[in-house]
Amino acid sequence: MECKRVLKLLNEYVDDSLSWREAEGLEKHLGSCSECARELQELRALQQLVRSLGRQEAPEGLDL
C-alpha cells in the first residue's frame, strides 16, 4: 500500500471502520513506514485531546 492511500485511510482506521483486508494492508505499511506511523500517532493524540474537551454546547444563534 502506498503512503498516499494510507494517509487517506487513517481516519477510518482509528474509527475501526476499515475492512479487515484494508486494515491488514495498512498495518503492514505502518510497520515499515515511520512517516505514516508518525501520522497515525499524531492523529490518535489529536483524537485524545478532542475527547478530553468533553461535549460542548453550540453557541446560541448558530444555525446548523
Side-chain angles (χ1 to χ4, degrees):
M1 192 175 287
E2 294 181 5
C3 293
K4 187 175 179 178
R5 175 111 173 102
V6 168
L7 294 175
K8 286 183 178 183
L9 294 175
L10 283 181
N11 283 313
E12 292 176 66
Y13 180 72
V14 297
D15 290 339
D16 198 30
S17 59
L18 291 179
S19 71
W20 68 269
R21 185 168 288 171
E22 285 178 313
E24 187 176 81
L26 190 139
E27 289 167 356
K28 182 177 179 183
H29 178 87
L30 291 171
S32 63
C33 181
S34 60
E35 288 186 39
C36 288
R38 188 183 77 245
E39 288 292 328
L40 176 60
Q41 289 175 335
E42 290 177 8
L43 181 59
R44 285 183 170 156
L46 178 60
Q47 188 180 48
Q48 286 296 99
L49 179 62
V50 170
R51 284 184 179 147
S52 73
L53 296 174
R55 295 185 64 88
Q56 302 291 317
E57 291 290 323
E60 192 171 316
L62 178 68
D63 292 330
L64 298 177

